[in-house]
Amino acid sequence: MTKYDCKFKLKAINFYKNNDVSLKETCKKFNIKSHSNLTYWINSYNFNGVEGLKLKANKKYSVELKASVVNYYKTHEINPRDLAIIYNINPSQVYSWIKIFDLHGIDGLELSGKVERPSMKKHKKNDKVVPLTDSERNKYINEIINLKSKLYNTEMENDIIKKRIALEMKKDIFPKHHK
């Protein structure tokens, strides 16, 4: 979902509520990508007021809250977007917690948000190239020759099998006419 500010969302909601227009027309006027965004904003505004329209960036949630949200989702027949409105949190956060819980259980919810990503360290190239001895080189060359030979034989076997299947299919499709 594109990040729209609270004033913009409120303006779109008021336009929709105060004019006899459809969700689609309102979205077109305000250049909103999806009418489901506008529907979510309207429901969130109706349930939580202006507070429901504010962005909640980088907010930390307790394990208890995460577990409560997932438990509510599992025990009630509710859409995660609607659940996000009830708890006044981002819908993508709800989807994420449900997925984490399904994969890792309650332990996953405890760790979510705390796992650090590995840094993008530059790997040093190993500039040392160790030359092969003649016996090692010959060993690798013989291994390559053997593998190429096996590959060739396998390809030939596959071609024979394919040809046989094609002939049998042709035979089934065009049976000989008996007089």
Side-chain angles (χ1 to χ4, degrees), residues 134-147:
D134 286 340
S135 65
E136 289 175 326
R137 172 173 283 152
N138 288 335
K139 179 182 168 189
Y140 287 125
I141 289 172
N142 286 332
E143 188 176 350
I144 291 170
I145 290 170
N146 283 336
L147 290 172

Side-chain angles (χ1 to χ4, degrees), residues 4 23 25 42 47 49 61 90 117 132 139 169 176:
Y4 300 96
L23 286 170
E25 291 169 319
I42 292 167
F47 197 83
Y61 297 100
N90 191 316
R117 296 178 188 211
L132 296 173
K139 179 182 168 189
M169 288 177 65
K176 291 183 180 179

Side-chain angles (χ1 to χ4, degrees), residues 124-158:
K124 292 182 180 179
K125 287 185 179 179
N126 189 358
D127 291 335
K128 290 184 180 180
V129 176
V130 180
L132 296 173
T133 64
D134 286 340
S135 65
E136 289 175 326
R137 172 173 283 152
N138 288 335
K139 179 182 168 189
Y140 287 125
I141 289 172
N142 286 332
E143 188 176 350
I144 291 170
I145 290 170
N146 283 336
L147 290 172
K148 283 187 175 184
S149 175
K150 285 181 181 179
L151 177 63
Y152 177 79
N153 289 337
T154 303
E155 288 174 344
M156 289 295 113
E157 288 174 6
N158 284 341

Side-chain angles (χ1 to χ4, degrees), residues 1 9 13 35-54 56 61 65 69 72-73 78-95 97-98:
M1 202 181 327
K9 294 174 185 178
I13 291 168
H35 73 279
S36 65
N37 288 347
L38 182 58
T39 303
Y40 174 76
W41 298 342
I42 292 167
N43 292 337
S44 187
Y45 177 75
N46 289 340
F47 197 83
N48 297 304
V50 176
E51 197 62 34
L53 301 178
K54 293 181 180 175
K56 294 160 247 351
Y61 297 100
L65 176 71
V69 170
Y72 195 94
Y73 172 76
I78 188 167
N79 181 315
R81 284 180 74 101
D82 295 337
L83 185 57
I85 291 169
I86 293 169
Y87 282 90
N88 195 20
I89 55 180
N90 191 316
S92 63
Q93 195 66 70
V94 174
Y95 285 104
W97 293 342
I98 293 167

Side-chain angles (χ1 to χ4, degrees), residues 18-35:
N18 296 330
N19 295 291
D20 190 26
V21 292
S22 68
L23 286 170
K24 193 174 185 179
E25 291 169 319
T26 304
C27 290
K28 192 172 185 178
K29 176 175 175 46
F30 287 92
N31 199 22
I32 300 169
K33 292 184 181 184
S34 170
H35 73 279

